[in-house]
Structures are given as structure tokens and as C-alpha cells.
Amino acid sequence: MKVSVKAPAKINLALDVLGKRPDGYHEVHMVMTTIDLADRIELMDLGEDRITLVTDYRFVPDDNRNFAYQAARLLKEKFHITRGVQITIDKCIPVAAGLAGGSSDAAATLRGLNKLWNLQLSTQELAELGSEIGSDVAFCVYGGTAIASGRGEKVEPISSPPPCWVVLAKPNIGVSTAEVYGKVQMETIQHANVREMVQAIEKQDYEGICEHLSNSLEAITMELHPEVEQIKEQMRRFGADGVLMSGSGPTVFALTKYESRMQRIYNGLRGFCDQVYAVRLLSESPLE
Ligand code: ATP
């Protein structure tokens, strides 16, 4: 038996950091949405009781450090599963990019194994399990568009923004999420307009969404990697309606309604960055 699952990337339309918690995590308030840039996960029954992982991408671990492996191990332990599984990850989402690639692989593995092993867990139950693996996994279990709070694990689905193009550009550097959060200074941080973003989405106000794109971590990553600001400038120059860094970066995304402008931004950035993608927002929620 074999199950194939899509693991889409996310972007942050708004990301605010509210404070540091006693457990060392930061309290966040964010709006996230899935995009049509996805890894593909294949889950296949193994004849023996173990987890194996195969990936085509050499910068991703193929052992118990992989979040998809951890998802399978968690389900096996919690539900005393004695069947083995081979996880194959066809990696398309750039790694250490602020697009939650690893978290989405874990979430897709939870959803897929729920089917393969007939566990009949609800989306909420899967999301709760996912948050034991990483802060963004719960959101990735739901997909669509949501407000996330706590350390990211409290997820409240909301309606999706109106359809548009998303052009993503990742400079040739990986960013450590821990390093960026480590540099947060609550006294000087610029707070993001999460409430305005949610209102703009509810009103399906595309211009309002572009206007309220904001990310409290952007200035920190930009100081470490000035390429982020340069990419934002290029995207604006090529006609983007709104531009923002996603998560802790370094990927920057541009929004536009028009295919011709998407092409212009895409072609313009290709001369500047190795990894450039043009995709649509994924509006349907929750994910199958
Ligand atoms: P986030 O936006 O949630 O902070 P990210 O996009 O910045 O995540 P990931 O692509 O998830 O970062 O990768 C972060 C690290 O996680 C990588 O350096 C990698 O070693 C590890 N990792 C574990 N499992 C995976 C996976 N399935 N895919 C990618 N990276 C993984």
C-alpha cells in the first residue's frame, strides 16, 4: 500500500513578535497562507517494522533528524504501530528559507500516515501531535490561511486572501531561525500590523493586504544579510504590489494580480538570484 501527499510551503503575510517566554520561545502572532510550491511525500508500507527515509536533496537529513521521520516515529509510538514505512521526499521547497519546508513535510507525513494506517485522527488531533515536532507543523496540518499564536502552534483558520501571483526569490544563503530570534530586542522591535492584515483578508481587500504586509523579523535578517533589502527593491522596481520577507527569511516574496507583471518580476529576479519561483496562493483549506 502506498499514499502520496502534497506538502506545500507557507508564506507569512504578517509576523509579530510579542515577547520572550520563560521557556525560551518567543510569543508570536502571525498570519500564514499556503502557496502552490510543494514537496511531494510518498509513504509506502515496509515489510519490516522500521522507518526508512529517502530524499533526493543532499542538504536535508535522511535519518531521525528529518521532521518527516519524527512525525512517523511519533505516530508509531503514540498508537503502538508495528508496521514499518518508507518515506520518500521529493524536495522542491528551498531549505532553511523561511517557507516551513521541513514543517510541511512533517505535517504531510502525519496526514498521509493517518490514511495509510487508518488512524482516523481529526485535523485538530494531528495538529496537536504536530506541534510536538515544531512550532509551524500545526499550521501546516491545516493549510489554507490562518492566524497562528503562542509559539506558532495555536492555529485559527480564516478565509483565504483573493487569488494572486506570488513571486519568491531566495538569495543563496540559509538563515538559522534560532539565530534571528536570538537577536530580537523587545525594546526596539517594530511591531507588525496583524489585526489590519486579518481585516483586509476578511474584506477580500487585495490593496489592503499589500499595504499591511509586515514582518517584525525582517529588519534583523536584513542586517545580517543585506541581499534581502536588495531583492525587495528589485521586486518593487519591477512592479510588485507588495513585497515582504517570509518567516525568519531569507526568502522574499512579491504579490501581483497580473500575469504579465509576474513574468516581469520573475525574469528580472532571475538575473539576480538562483532560486526564483512564480506560483499561486493555495486558497483551499483544509488540506486533504
Ligand atoms: P521555518 O519557516 O519553519 O523556520 P525554514 O523554511 O526556515 O523553516 P526548513 O526548510 O524547514 O527551514 O529547514 C530548517 C532545517 O531543518 C534544515 O536545515 C534541515 O537540516 C532541517 N530539516 C529537517 N527535516 C527537514 C525536511 N524534511 N526538509 C527540510 N529541512 C529539514
Side-chain angles (χ1 to χ4, degrees):
M1 272 259 290
K2 194 160 85 172
V3 167
S4 211
V5 221
K6 205 169 156 179
K10 63 84 184 159
I11 52 173
N12 295 83
L13 298 175
L15 190 163
D16 194 13
V17 182
L18 303 180
K20 190 159 183 189
R21 315 185 335 171
D23 63 5
Y25 286 101
H26 283 84
E27 190 77 15
V28 292
H29 195 202
M30 336 186 256
V31 179
M32 304 204 261
T33 192
T34 40
I35 56 171
D36 198 8
L37 169 66
D39 295 343
R40 186 145 283 283
I41 312 272
E42 197 184 85
L43 303 161
M44 200 168 63
D45 265 325
L46 260 190
E48 48 192 319
D49 182 11
R50 63 193 183 101
I51 303 166
T52 60
L53 194 141
V54 182
T55 172
D56 53 344
Y57 193 70
R58 68 192 167 101
F59 298 111
V60 167
D62 61 0
D63 52 22
N64 59 10
R65 289 169 299 168
N66 195 298
F67 300 139
Y69 185 107
Q70 291 171 21
R73 188 178 54 193
L74 185 67
L75 286 183
K76 270 175 77 57
E77 284 170 6
K78 288 252 169 171
F79 300 99
H80 312 292
I81 307 289
T82 50
R83 291 159 67 176
V85 63
Q86 170 157 308
I87 306 169
T88 306
I89 306 180
D90 179 8
K91 199 86 200 139
C92 296
I93 306 173
V95 175
L99 301 173
S103 303
S104 193
D105 291 351
T109 303
L110 291 173
R111 287 197 310 270
L113 289 178
N114 192 32
K115 275 194 195 143
L116 190 67
W117 292 340
N118 196 23
L119 299 173
Q120 305 195 355
L121 299 167
S122 66
T123 303
Q124 196 183 336
E125 286 169 313
L126 291 174
E128 273 166 28
L129 286 167
S131 65
E132 294 183 30
I133 302 165
S135 304
D136 286 344
V137 180
F139 166 75
C140 294
V141 166
Y142 284 93
T145 306
I147 304 169
S149 56
R151 58 179 171 84
E153 87 288 6
K154 292 182 193 149
V155 179
E156 182 195 333
I158 58 172
S159 53
S160 281
C164 68
W165 290 99
V166 185
V167 182
L168 303 128
K170 181 189 169 281
N172 210 6
I173 40 169
V175 161
S176 151
T177 304
E179 184 186 2
V180 174
Y181 273 102
K183 289 191 182 295
V184 165
Q185 287 186 330
M186 286 319 299
E187 309 76 45
T188 51
I189 200 158
Q190 290 167 11
H191 287 285
N193 297 327
V194 177
R195 193 160 300 149
E196 284 91 336
M197 175 57 71
V198 173
Q199 279 170 1
I201 292 172
E202 275 165 359
K203 285 192 258 169
Q204 295 291 288
D205 170 10
Y206 172 76
E207 283 74 26
I209 292 169
C210 293
E211 190 184 328
H212 294 300
L213 291 170
S214 51
N215 180 344
S216 296
L217 300 176
E218 197 179 60
I220 300 168
T221 306
M222 266 180 193
E223 207 169 308
L224 294 168
H225 305 290
E227 296 94 318
V228 171
E229 175 61 40
Q230 288 159 12
I231 293 174
K232 285 188 77 176
E233 271 168 34
Q234 297 279 356
M235 285 176 159
R236 284 195 204 99
R237 205 160 61 83
F238 290 117
D241 296 323
V243 293
L244 191 71
M245 184 188 82
S246 183
S248 53
T251 304
V252 176
F253 66 87
L255 301 184
T256 175
K257 267 191 176 165
Y258 304 108
E259 189 169 349
S260 56
R261 205 167 295 176
M262 172 276 281
Q263 283 294 352
R264 187 141 62 96
I265 303 168
Y266 178 82
N267 292 334
L269 265 293
R270 281 273 298 260
F272 200 70
C273 253
D274 286 346
Q275 286 173 284
V276 186
Y277 308 85
V279 297
R280 304 285 290 172
L281 291 180
L282 267 189
S283 341
E284 74 271 18
S285 167
L287 289 166
E288 271 304 296

